[in-house]
Amino acid sequence: MKPPAVEVDRARVLAYRVVAHELDRSPGRRPEDLAVLGVGVQDTPSGSARQALAARTPMPPVDGALALLWTARGAPHLHRWADLPGLAAALWPMSDADASARIASAQIKEGTRLGVAAFTAAARAMREVVTGPMARGEVSTAVSSRIPRPLTYQCSACDARHISGGLFQQVGLAAGVRLAAGASPAVLVPLDDRPEVPGEPGDPAALVTAYLRLLGPAGPAEVAKFLGTTQAEIRRAWPRDLAEVRVDGRRAWLPADRLEALRSASPPPMVRLLPPSDPFLQARDRDLLVPGRERQKAVWRALAKPGALLVDGEVAGVWRARLTGRATLEVTVTAFDPPAAALRTAVDEEAGHLAAARGAAAVRVRFGTGG
Protein backbone atom coordinates (compact mmCIF):
# COMPACT_ATOMS: atom_id res chain seq x y z
CA MET A 1 0.00 0.00 0.00
CA LYS A 2 1.31 3.42 -0.96
CA PRO A 3 2.27 5.46 2.13
CA PRO A 4 0.42 8.74 2.68
CA ALA A 5 2.08 11.92 1.46
CA VAL A 6 4.12 13.84 4.00
CA GLU A 7 2.49 17.19 4.79
CA VAL A 8 4.78 20.22 5.14
CA ASP A 9 4.46 23.97 4.84
CA ARG A 10 6.48 26.56 2.95
CA ALA A 11 8.69 27.39 5.96
CA ARG A 12 9.74 23.74 6.27
CA VAL A 13 10.63 23.55 2.58
CA LEU A 14 12.80 26.67 2.77
CA ALA A 15 14.49 25.31 5.89
CA TYR A 16 15.23 22.06 4.05
CA ARG A 17 16.69 23.88 1.06
CA VAL A 18 18.97 26.09 3.15
CA VAL A 19 20.42 22.99 4.81
CA ALA A 20 20.64 21.06 1.51
CA HIS A 21 22.53 23.98 -0.02
CA GLU A 22 25.08 23.95 2.82
CA LEU A 23 24.70 27.67 3.39
CA ASP A 24 26.07 27.33 6.92
CA ARG A 25 29.54 27.94 5.41
CA SER A 26 31.23 25.11 7.25
CA PRO A 27 34.97 25.82 7.59
CA GLY A 28 35.92 22.24 6.74
CA ARG A 29 33.96 21.96 3.49
CA ARG A 30 35.92 22.08 0.22
CA PRO A 31 34.36 23.88 -2.76
CA GLU A 32 34.68 20.79 -4.96
CA ASP A 33 32.66 18.77 -2.42
CA LEU A 34 29.65 21.09 -2.36
CA ALA A 35 26.27 19.47 -2.98
CA VAL A 36 25.21 22.20 -5.40
CA LEU A 37 27.70 20.88 -7.94
CA GLY A 38 25.25 18.03 -8.47
CA VAL A 39 23.30 20.36 -10.76
CA GLY A 40 26.14 22.78 -11.45
CA VAL A 41 26.77 26.34 -10.31
CA GLN A 42 25.75 28.84 -12.96
CA ASP A 43 28.30 31.54 -13.79
CA THR A 44 26.00 34.30 -15.04
CA PRO A 45 27.28 36.98 -14.96
CA SER A 46 30.88 35.85 -15.19
CA GLY A 47 32.40 35.49 -11.75
CA SER A 48 29.15 34.88 -9.92
CA ALA A 49 29.81 31.14 -9.56
CA ARG A 50 32.82 31.88 -7.37
CA GLN A 51 30.58 34.09 -5.20
CA ALA A 52 28.05 31.25 -4.91
CA LEU A 53 30.81 28.95 -3.66
CA ALA A 54 31.93 31.61 -1.18
CA ALA A 55 28.41 31.73 0.27
CA ARG A 56 28.84 28.05 1.22
CA THR A 57 32.48 27.65 2.22
CA PRO A 58 35.27 30.01 3.32
CA MET A 59 37.77 27.99 1.30
CA PRO A 60 38.58 29.29 -2.20
CA PRO A 61 38.40 26.76 -5.03
CA VAL A 62 41.71 25.26 -6.09
CA ASP A 63 42.65 26.46 -9.57
CA GLY A 64 41.59 23.84 -12.10
CA ALA A 65 39.61 21.78 -9.59
CA LEU A 66 36.32 22.52 -11.36
CA ALA A 67 35.37 22.71 -15.02
CA LEU A 68 33.39 25.54 -16.59
CA LEU A 69 31.10 24.41 -19.40
CA TRP A 70 27.86 25.26 -21.18
CA THR A 71 25.41 22.76 -19.72
CA ALA A 72 21.79 23.14 -18.51
CA ARG A 73 19.86 25.41 -20.91
CA GLY A 74 23.18 26.26 -22.55
CA ALA A 75 24.22 28.43 -19.60
CA PRO A 76 27.80 28.37 -18.25
CA HIS A 77 28.11 26.23 -15.10
CA LEU A 78 30.88 24.98 -12.86
CA HIS A 79 30.99 21.18 -12.52
CA ARG A 80 33.22 18.50 -11.08
CA TRP A 81 35.40 16.88 -13.71
CA ALA A 82 34.33 13.40 -12.59
CA ASP A 83 30.67 14.27 -13.20
CA LEU A 84 31.07 15.22 -16.86
CA PRO A 85 30.53 11.80 -18.52
CA GLY A 86 27.25 11.22 -16.67
CA LEU A 87 26.19 14.82 -17.21
CA ALA A 88 26.71 14.51 -20.97
CA ALA A 89 24.26 11.60 -21.08
CA ALA A 90 21.80 13.35 -18.75
CA LEU A 91 21.66 16.50 -20.86
CA TRP A 92 21.37 14.83 -24.26
CA PRO A 93 17.77 15.01 -25.59
CA MET A 94 15.51 12.07 -24.86
CA SER A 95 13.57 12.40 -28.11
CA ASP A 96 12.97 14.64 -31.11
CA ALA A 97 10.20 16.39 -29.18
CA ASP A 98 12.56 17.02 -26.29
CA ALA A 99 15.27 18.38 -28.59
CA SER A 100 12.81 20.64 -30.38
CA ALA A 101 11.55 22.05 -27.07
CA ARG A 102 15.08 22.83 -25.90
CA ILE A 103 16.07 24.76 -29.01
CA ALA A 104 12.70 26.35 -29.82
CA SER A 105 13.48 29.72 -31.38
CA ALA A 106 11.85 32.10 -33.81
CA GLN A 107 15.25 32.38 -35.50
CA ILE A 108 15.27 28.74 -36.67
CA LYS A 109 11.63 27.63 -36.84
CA GLU A 110 12.37 25.10 -39.58
CA GLY A 111 15.54 23.87 -37.88
CA THR A 112 13.69 23.27 -34.63
CA ARG A 113 11.76 20.49 -36.37
CA LEU A 114 15.00 18.52 -36.91
CA GLY A 115 14.95 17.45 -33.27
CA VAL A 116 17.85 15.26 -32.15
CA ALA A 117 19.43 15.54 -35.60
CA ALA A 118 20.00 19.23 -34.91
CA PHE A 119 21.94 18.44 -31.72
CA THR A 120 23.92 15.70 -33.44
CA ALA A 121 24.94 17.84 -36.42
CA ALA A 122 25.95 20.80 -34.24
CA ALA A 123 27.86 18.66 -31.71
CA ARG A 124 29.80 16.83 -34.42
CA ALA A 125 30.66 20.07 -36.17
CA MET A 126 31.87 21.72 -32.97
CA ARG A 127 33.94 18.65 -32.12
CA GLU A 128 35.62 18.81 -35.53
CA VAL A 129 36.30 22.54 -35.25
CA VAL A 130 37.60 22.90 -31.70
CA THR A 131 40.94 21.09 -31.64
CA GLY A 132 42.66 23.74 -29.53
CA PRO A 133 41.74 26.99 -27.72
CA MET A 134 39.55 29.09 -30.02
CA ALA A 135 37.54 32.28 -29.63
CA ARG A 136 33.79 31.77 -29.51
CA GLY A 137 33.16 33.87 -32.62
CA GLU A 138 35.68 31.87 -34.63
CA VAL A 139 34.07 28.60 -33.55
CA SER A 140 30.58 29.89 -34.32
CA THR A 141 31.57 30.89 -37.83
CA ALA A 142 33.20 27.53 -38.55
CA VAL A 143 30.36 25.49 -37.07
CA SER A 144 27.75 27.52 -38.96
CA SER A 145 29.35 26.55 -42.25
CA ARG A 146 29.23 22.84 -41.40
CA ILE A 147 25.64 22.34 -40.29
CA PRO A 148 22.30 22.24 -42.15
CA ARG A 149 21.20 25.68 -43.26
CA PRO A 150 17.91 25.56 -41.28
CA LEU A 151 19.95 25.58 -38.07
CA THR A 152 21.38 28.99 -38.93
CA TYR A 153 19.79 32.40 -39.35
CA GLN A 154 20.70 35.48 -41.33
CA CYS A 155 22.29 38.18 -39.16
CA SER A 156 21.52 41.58 -40.64
CA ALA A 157 24.20 43.31 -38.55
CA CYS A 158 27.10 41.39 -40.12
CA ASP A 159 25.40 40.07 -43.26
CA ALA A 160 26.24 36.44 -42.46
CA ARG A 161 24.51 33.30 -41.29
CA HIS A 162 24.97 32.20 -37.69
CA ILE A 163 24.08 29.05 -35.76
CA SER A 164 21.29 29.62 -33.26
CA GLY A 165 22.87 30.58 -29.94
CA GLY A 166 20.62 28.23 -27.95
CA LEU A 167 21.69 25.22 -30.01
CA PHE A 168 25.34 26.29 -30.16
CA GLN A 169 25.71 26.43 -26.38
CA GLN A 170 23.62 23.36 -25.58
CA VAL A 171 25.92 21.03 -27.53
CA GLY A 172 29.16 22.17 -25.91
CA LEU A 173 29.52 19.26 -23.48
CA ALA A 174 28.43 16.67 -26.05
CA ALA A 175 31.06 18.09 -28.40
CA GLY A 176 33.72 17.70 -25.70
CA VAL A 177 34.27 21.43 -25.27
CA ARG A 178 34.71 23.52 -22.13
CA LEU A 179 35.13 27.23 -21.47
CA ALA A 180 38.43 28.81 -20.51
CA ALA A 181 37.97 30.27 -17.02
CA GLY A 182 38.03 34.06 -16.90
CA ALA A 183 38.27 34.58 -20.66
CA SER A 184 36.23 37.42 -22.16
CA PRO A 185 35.13 37.09 -24.91
CA ALA A 186 34.61 33.37 -24.36
CA VAL A 187 37.35 30.95 -25.41
CA LEU A 188 36.45 27.30 -26.11
CA VAL A 189 38.90 24.53 -25.24
CA PRO A 190 38.68 20.79 -26.07
CA LEU A 191 38.36 18.46 -23.09
CA ASP A 192 41.32 16.17 -22.53
CA ASP A 193 39.17 13.04 -22.54
CA ARG A 194 36.56 13.93 -25.13
CA PRO A 195 33.49 11.71 -25.10
CA GLU A 196 31.92 10.60 -28.34
CA VAL A 197 28.81 12.48 -29.43
CA PRO A 198 25.93 10.53 -27.85
CA GLY A 199 24.22 8.02 -30.09
CA GLU A 200 21.50 6.97 -27.68
CA PRO A 201 18.59 8.93 -26.15
CA GLY A 202 19.51 10.92 -23.07
CA ASP A 203 18.51 9.86 -19.58
CA PRO A 204 18.11 12.83 -17.20
CA ALA A 205 16.89 10.75 -14.23
CA ALA A 206 20.05 11.33 -12.17
CA LEU A 207 19.93 15.06 -12.89
CA VAL A 208 16.23 15.15 -11.97
CA THR A 209 17.06 13.50 -8.65
CA ALA A 210 19.90 15.95 -8.04
CA TYR A 211 17.51 18.86 -8.64
CA LEU A 212 14.97 17.42 -6.20
CA ARG A 213 17.63 16.87 -3.53
CA LEU A 214 18.58 20.53 -3.66
CA LEU A 215 15.38 22.29 -4.69
CA GLY A 216 12.65 19.85 -3.74
CA PRO A 217 10.07 18.98 -2.89
CA ALA A 218 9.07 19.84 -6.46
CA GLY A 219 7.28 18.39 -9.47
CA PRO A 220 7.84 17.78 -13.19
CA ALA A 221 6.83 21.36 -14.05
CA GLU A 222 9.71 22.86 -12.08
CA VAL A 223 12.29 20.36 -13.34
CA ALA A 224 11.14 20.86 -16.93
CA LYS A 225 11.66 24.61 -16.65
CA PHE A 226 15.12 24.07 -15.17
CA LEU A 227 16.14 21.87 -18.11
CA GLY A 228 14.31 23.93 -20.73
CA THR A 229 12.00 21.18 -21.92
CA THR A 230 8.36 20.11 -21.49
CA GLN A 231 6.60 18.41 -18.60
CA ALA A 232 5.59 15.55 -20.88
CA GLU A 233 9.24 14.73 -21.60
CA ILE A 234 10.28 14.96 -17.95
CA ARG A 235 7.41 12.71 -16.86
CA ARG A 236 8.82 9.99 -19.13
CA ALA A 237 12.09 10.11 -17.17
CA TRP A 238 10.59 10.70 -13.73
CA PRO A 239 12.48 8.58 -11.14
CA ARG A 240 10.52 5.84 -9.41
CA ASP A 241 12.18 6.02 -5.99
CA LEU A 242 10.53 9.29 -4.95
CA ALA A 243 8.28 10.06 -2.01
CA GLU A 244 5.17 12.18 -2.45
CA VAL A 245 5.02 15.34 -0.37
CA ARG A 246 2.25 17.90 0.04
CA VAL A 247 3.52 21.46 0.34
CA ASP A 248 0.68 23.57 1.71
CA GLY A 249 -1.59 21.15 -0.16
CA ARG A 250 0.39 21.22 -3.42
CA ARG A 251 1.61 17.87 -4.74
CA ALA A 252 5.40 17.52 -4.98
CA TRP A 253 8.15 14.89 -4.72
CA LEU A 254 11.42 14.33 -2.93
CA PRO A 255 13.93 11.44 -2.95
CA ALA A 256 12.69 9.03 -0.31
CA ASP A 257 16.00 9.07 1.56
CA ARG A 258 15.59 12.82 2.12
CA LEU A 259 12.26 12.69 3.94
CA GLU A 260 13.79 12.70 7.42
CA ALA A 261 15.99 15.65 6.45
CA LEU A 262 12.86 17.48 5.34
CA ARG A 263 10.99 16.70 8.56
CA SER A 264 13.88 17.76 10.80
CA ALA A 265 15.30 20.71 8.83
CA SER A 266 16.25 23.61 11.06
CA PRO A 267 18.72 26.01 9.49
CA PRO A 268 20.90 28.21 11.70
CA PRO A 269 20.20 31.96 11.70
CA MET A 270 22.21 33.46 8.86
CA VAL A 271 22.54 36.28 6.38
CA ARG A 272 23.91 35.60 2.90
CA LEU A 273 24.40 37.75 -0.18
CA LEU A 274 23.57 35.26 -2.93
CA PRO A 275 24.77 36.21 -6.41
CA PRO A 276 22.49 36.33 -9.45
CA SER A 277 21.85 32.78 -10.72
CA ASP A 278 22.87 31.23 -7.38
CA PRO A 279 21.69 27.59 -7.16
CA PHE A 280 19.25 28.52 -4.37
CA LEU A 281 17.55 30.95 -6.77
CA GLN A 282 17.32 28.34 -9.54
CA ALA A 283 14.16 26.87 -8.00
CA ARG A 284 11.35 27.20 -10.51
CA ASP A 285 8.58 27.38 -7.89
CA ARG A 286 9.10 31.09 -7.52
CA ASP A 287 5.74 31.68 -5.85
CA LEU A 288 6.97 29.52 -2.99
CA LEU A 289 10.46 30.96 -2.84
CA VAL A 290 9.44 34.62 -3.05
CA PRO A 291 5.72 35.27 -2.48
CA GLY A 292 4.40 38.40 -4.13
CA ARG A 293 4.68 39.41 -7.76
CA GLU A 294 6.46 42.72 -7.12
CA ARG A 295 9.18 41.06 -5.06
CA GLN A 296 9.61 38.34 -7.68
CA LYS A 297 10.06 41.00 -10.35
CA ALA A 298 12.71 42.67 -8.20
CA VAL A 299 14.68 39.42 -7.76
CA TRP A 300 14.32 37.92 -11.25
CA ARG A 301 14.65 40.89 -13.57
CA ALA A 302 14.81 40.07 -17.27
CA LEU A 303 18.03 42.06 -17.61
CA ALA A 304 20.80 42.92 -15.15
CA LYS A 305 19.55 40.63 -12.41
CA PRO A 306 20.57 41.62 -8.87
CA GLY A 307 21.76 39.28 -6.18
CA ALA A 308 19.42 38.22 -3.38
CA LEU A 309 19.63 39.03 0.32
CA LEU A 310 18.88 35.80 2.19
CA VAL A 311 17.92 36.16 5.86
CA ASP A 312 17.19 32.99 7.83
CA GLY A 313 16.03 31.20 4.69
CA GLU A 314 13.85 34.01 3.35
CA VAL A 315 14.72 36.19 0.37
CA ALA A 316 14.49 39.53 2.16
CA GLY A 317 15.82 41.91 -0.48
CA VAL A 318 18.23 42.40 -3.36
CA TRP A 319 21.72 43.76 -3.75
CA ARG A 320 24.12 45.06 -6.36
CA ALA A 321 27.86 45.64 -6.24
CA ARG A 322 30.45 47.54 -8.20
CA LEU A 323 34.15 48.17 -7.89
CA THR A 324 35.02 51.78 -7.14
CA GLY A 325 38.50 53.15 -7.28
CA ARG A 326 40.89 50.28 -7.72
CA ALA A 327 40.03 47.83 -4.99
CA THR A 328 36.90 48.86 -3.08
CA LEU A 329 33.67 46.94 -3.56
CA GLU A 330 30.61 49.11 -3.06
CA VAL A 331 27.57 46.98 -2.15
CA THR A 332 24.10 48.48 -2.28
CA VAL A 333 21.47 46.45 -0.43
CA THR A 334 17.74 47.04 -0.85
CA ALA A 335 15.77 45.23 1.84
CA PHE A 336 12.09 44.56 1.24
CA ASP A 337 11.34 45.73 4.79
CA PRO A 338 13.16 48.35 6.91
CA PRO A 339 16.36 46.63 8.14
CA ALA A 340 17.03 46.42 11.87
CA ALA A 341 20.42 47.35 13.24
CA ALA A 342 21.35 43.69 13.73
CA LEU A 343 20.64 42.96 10.07
CA ARG A 344 22.77 45.89 8.96
CA THR A 345 25.65 44.57 11.03
CA ALA A 346 25.25 41.05 9.63
CA VAL A 347 25.14 42.41 6.07
CA ASP A 348 28.35 44.36 6.67
CA GLU A 349 30.07 41.15 7.75
CA GLU A 350 28.69 39.16 4.83
CA ALA A 351 29.79 41.84 2.39
CA GLY A 352 33.34 41.18 3.57
CA HIS A 353 33.06 37.58 2.34
CA LEU A 354 31.70 38.86 -0.97
CA ALA A 355 34.56 41.32 -1.37
CA ALA A 356 37.12 38.59 -0.69
CA ALA A 357 35.52 36.35 -3.32
CA ARG A 358 35.75 39.18 -5.84
CA GLY A 359 39.34 40.03 -4.95
CA ALA A 360 38.55 43.45 -3.49
CA ALA A 361 40.72 44.81 -0.67
CA ALA A 362 37.96 46.86 0.96
CA VAL A 363 34.18 47.01 1.02
CA ARG A 364 31.60 49.70 1.60
CA VAL A 365 27.92 48.91 2.21
CA ARG A 366 24.95 51.18 1.86
CA PHE A 367 21.24 50.49 2.05
CA GLY A 368 19.07 51.77 -0.77
CA THR A 369 15.33 52.03 -1.29
CA GLY A 370 13.07 50.53 -3.93
CA GLY A 371 13.47 47.22 -5.90
Side-chain angles (χ1 to χ4, degrees):
M1 184 176 178
K2 184 179 179 181
V6 174
E7 300 275 352
V8 295
D9 60 12
R10 172 180 175 272
R12 180 65 61 185
V13 171
L14 292 181
Y16 168 82
R17 291 182 186 178
V18 167
V19 175
H21 278 251
E22 301 171 324
L23 285 164
D24 59 327
R25 196 183 279 128
S26 171
R29 189 179 295 126
R30 300 185 308 168
E32 55 267 36
D33 294 334
L34 289 170
V36 290
L37 291 167
V39 296
V41 180
Q42 189 169 334
D43 194 40
T44 309
S46 179
S48 61
R50 182 176 287 264
Q51 297 169 41
L53 300 181
R56 293 161 171 84
T57 170
M59 298 175 64
V62 176
D63 287 343
L66 299 173
L68 181 64
L69 306 95
W70 287 323
T71 53
R73 306 174 311 283
H77 287 75
L78 283 178
H79 293 279
R80 287 181 283 256
W81 292 98
D83 293 344
L84 298 187
L87 188 63
L91 288 172
W92 191 251
M94 295 173 279
S95 65
D96 287 333
D98 182 23
S100 296
R102 296 191 192 205
I103 60 172
S105 169
Q107 291 177 329
I108 56 166
K109 288 184 178 179
E110 183 181 349
T112 296
R113 302 189 190 101
L114 295 179
V116 176
F119 275 74
T120 302
R124 287 176 176 170
M126 187 180 292
R127 184 185 175 90
E128 292 172 1
V129 167
V130 183
T131 57
M134 294 178 65
R136 171 185 174 141
E138 184 182 2
V139 176
S140 176
T141 298
V143 170
S144 298
S145 69
R146 285 169 165 79
I147 59 176
R149 185 178 177 85
L151 299 178
T152 65
Y153 67 97
Q154 185 67 28
C155 175
S156 58
C158 57
D159 192 28
R161 294 194 69 84
H162 296 311
I163 180 174
S164 165
L167 174 60
F168 183 64
Q169 294 186 197
Q170 287 193 73
V171 301
L173 176 55
V177 170
R178 64 176 177 87
L179 298 168
S184 181
V187 172
L188 279 63
V189 182
L191 292 171
D192 291 337
D193 297 314
R194 305 179 79 173
E196 295 296 327
V197 174
E200 300 293 332
D203 181 5
L207 192 54
V208 171
T209 299
Y211 177 97
L212 294 174
R213 284 183 173 276
L214 288 167
L215 295 167
E222 290 77 42
V223 178
K225 289 177 183 177
F226 176 77
L227 292 177
T229 187
T230 65
Q231 289 189 56
E233 292 298 313
I234 290 299
R235 288 183 188 280
R236 293 175 53 233
W238 201 242
R240 296 182 181 276
D241 56 342
L242 301 177
E244 185 176 338
V245 178
R246 296 278 178 169
V247 181
D248 291 330
R250 179 180 60 86
R251 197 179 186 195
W253 287 265
L254 191 72
D257 63 357
R258 297 298 294 163
L259 280 179
E260 184 54 38
L262 174 65
R263 292 189 182 102
S264 62
S266 179
M270 67 175 66
V271 171
R272 294 288 182 266
L273 294 174
L274 302 181
S277 303
D278 185 272
F280 191 83
L281 303 175
Q282 293 294 337
R284 271 20 190 198
D285 49 1
R286 292 179 176 179
D287 287 338
L288 182 147
L289 188 57
V290 181
R293 190 54 53 89
E294 290 306 311
R295 291 186 176 186
Q296 289 175 16
K297 288 162 69 174
V299 174
W300 292 289
R301 292 183 180 275
L303 298 173
K305 290 183 178 65
L309 170 65
L310 189 71
V311 180
D312 301 340
E314 288 280 356
V315 175
V318 296
W319 63 270
R320 297 183 185 278
R322 66 187 182 97
L323 282 171
T324 61
R326 292 191 175 184
T328 298
L329 187 70
E330 183 177 278
V331 182
T332 300
V333 177
T334 304
F336 292 145
D337 297 308
L343 177 57
R344 289 175 177 267
T345 299
V347 169
D348 286 342
E349 181 179 348
E350 185 62 18
H353 290 282
L354 179 67
R358 294 186 58 161
V363 63
R364 181 166 58 247
V365 179
R366 67 184 183 90
F367 281 81
T369 57

